[in-house]
Amino acid sequence: MALLQDQTSLLSLPIEQLPGEGYRRRQLAGWLYEKGARQWDEMTDLPRALRSEWAERFRISEFADVAPYPSQDGSVKYLYTLLDGQKTEAVYMPYLNRKTICISSMVGCPAGCTFCATGRMGFGRNLTTAEILDQILFAAHHQGHAPREIRNVVLMGMGEPLLNVENVFAAIERMLHPQGLAMSPRRITLSTVGIPRGIYKLAESGLGVRLALSLHAPDDETRQQIIPTAHRYRIAEIMDAVRHYYAQTGRRVTLEYTLLRGVNDHDWQARALAGLFKGLSVHMNLIPWNPWEGAPHQGTPKAQILKFAATLEQQGIPTSVRWSRGRDVGAACGQLALKQPA
Ligand code: SF4
């Protein structure tokens, strides 16, 4: 039997390039993306000889090991060990009738946001298309669901998806493909810290997914303090790209804003934020900051969070506060750092 690393990854192949022809290829796609098979033995309607031949050449799984960490609130953090020994994470959230998974696009992240445990780790490498997809397939299988029962995907885990455009877009194509995960583009959200050229590419890609923008400050000075790589792109450039995205797709843009005490939670910043997004269809998610060991920040007190939200609302920006899930197992926003919970 060939080593897993030497085999071709089935999930890396576009559906039209899976092995087999016509009917056989459709059967294989069905086993992978509809039934969620993770072993060749499960594919009982494929001839045994064909299964053995394919099992020599192709691999189904991208992980050497997976450790699930269930949170008290029902979400589960998955710590995936990849075939080269690197690690990444996803978080499964079983909201009522809305099974959602937050997946990663990288090992670590190069953006280095000061409030984010992943940023503190630095950059490992980009995930492959197959590694991005298999986070969904494994979690569905582990939860006892067919893959298509997971109806919402957010690319908001480790990494900046718009700095791994080729692999991320190919993975999204497989999520949308009728013989793939057959998802609606409205149920896939790509979250970016604000990479203008990536936002233009997403607008032109025709994928039609939702865009979430994590600006985290309405002014360049504050933004550069908390997102070290932000000096490369000014807010005005990012806003041009976002307006272009909106003009091309007509999709409402989600805004993600992590509130840090005394840094980006002042009233004037709420008013400035509202000014930036005037005339655009947006929805603001305020994220109370989730603490992690050694972090250089404090969370904004609840009263100020509610005041910040009220100011945005008064200025015409629909706003929700996203009290995070999975805090107890380090699965909440900004906490992903490959740590095993105590
Ligand atoms: S908040 Fe997002 S972009 Fe910033 S370091 Fe963390 S994972 Fe990267």
Side-chain angles (χ1 to χ4, degrees):
M1 177 65 99
L3 283 174
L4 277 176
Q5 286 92 325
D6 297 336
Q7 293 176 315
T8 303
S9 154
L10 280 182
L11 301 179
S12 71
L13 299 173
I15 296 194
E16 290 72 19
Q17 291 173 25
L18 286 172
E21 309 239 316
Y23 176 61
R24 289 280 178 241
R25 183 184 296 155
R26 279 200 302 281
Q27 273 182 306
L28 180 58
W31 279 111
L32 293 175
Y33 292 105
E34 205 181 325
K35 301 185 188 122
R38 301 197 65 82
Q39 306 284 343
W40 290 102
D41 295 351
E42 293 173 53
M43 306 185 193
T44 43
D45 56 1
L46 287 173
R48 195 183 292 265
L50 189 62
R51 272 188 271 155
S52 323
E53 185 204 320
W54 284 351
E56 271 296 311
R57 290 166 50 206
F58 300 102
R59 66 168 186 265
I60 301 174
S61 168
E62 297 302 313
F63 306 129
D65 185 51
V66 184
Y69 296 99
S71 162
Q72 281 167 4
D73 64 16
S75 56
V76 180
K77 173 165 103 166
Y78 288 96
L79 180 57
Y80 298 106
T81 305
L82 306 164
L83 296 179
D84 64 358
Q86 302 254 33
K87 291 182 164 64
T88 195
E89 300 185 344
V91 183
Y92 169 75
M93 293 163 281
Y95 296 118
L96 274 185
N97 297 326
R98 266 199 330 135
K99 298 180 180 77
T100 298
I101 188 161
C102 172
I103 59 173
S104 296
S105 56
M106 293 177 170
V107 174
C109 183
C113 303
T114 57
F115 51 87
C116 169
T118 305
R120 178 63 72 89
M121 286 171 56
F123 176 55
R125 67 168 170 84
N126 283 341
L127 295 183
T128 63
T129 301
E131 288 165 342
I132 296 167
L133 284 169
D134 207 15
Q135 294 171 59
I136 307 171
L137 295 173
F138 182 93
H141 179 84
H142 184 258
Q143 293 292 326
H145 303 315
R148 292 179 183 175
E149 284 180 62
I150 296 191
R151 299 312 294 158
N152 298 280
V153 170
V154 289
L155 280 140
M156 214 179 268
M158 286 192 166
E160 166 51 59
L162 292 182
L163 292 176
N164 184 14
V165 162
E166 204 177 307
N167 295 342
V168 165
F169 285 14
I172 293 175
E173 274 164 21
R174 245 74 106 220
M175 292 177 209
L176 298 175
H177 196 293
Q179 288 176 53
L181 292 175
M183 296 185 73
S184 155
R186 288 194 312 276
R187 294 181 175 265
I188 299 172
T189 302
L190 184 151
S191 171
T192 177
V193 77
I195 311 290
R197 69 172 184 282
I199 297 173
Y200 285 111
K201 278 189 193 159
L202 188 64
E204 305 313 325
S205 70
L207 291 169
V209 298
R210 289 183 187 277
L211 178 70
L213 174 68
S214 301
L215 211 52
H216 299 311
D219 57 295
D220 285 312
E221 197 186 335
T222 312
R223 197 160 182 274
Q224 286 166 16
Q225 272 171 32
I226 54 180
I227 309 176
T229 49
H231 60 270
R232 291 196 202 135
Y233 315 105
R234 300 188 72 77
I235 289 174
E237 273 179 77
I238 298 171
M239 289 306 302
D240 282 347
V242 169
R243 273 189 283 272
H244 176 78
Y245 185 84
Y246 182 67
Q248 286 290 106
T249 64
R251 287 241 186 277
R252 186 171 75 172
V253 175
T254 304
L255 307 172
E256 309 284 338
Y257 194 97
T258 301
L259 283 162
L260 304 167
R261 185 175 195 163
V263 178
N264 64 357
D265 62 353
H266 301 287
D267 291 342
W268 69 265
Q269 286 163 317
R271 287 192 297 276
L273 261 184
L276 273 183
F277 293 99
K278 225 174 203 90
L280 274 175
S281 170
V282 293
H283 185 95
M284 171 69 80
N285 285 322
L286 293 177
I287 307 168
W289 180 72
N290 295 303
W292 42 273
E293 212 180 298
H297 293 291
Q298 289 177 311
T300 297
K302 191 167 180 183
Q304 179 59 18
I305 293 174
L306 296 175
K307 191 164 171 229
F308 200 92
T311 306
L312 285 167
E313 285 274 354
Q314 280 156 15
Q315 305 277 326
I317 305 286
T319 301
S320 320
V321 180
R322 254 195 12 214
W323 308 103
S324 275
R325 296 183 151 227
R327 272 169 100 132
D328 55 334
V329 291
C333 278
Q335 283 186 321
L336 298 184
L338 308 175
K339 282 239 185 71
Q340 298 172 9

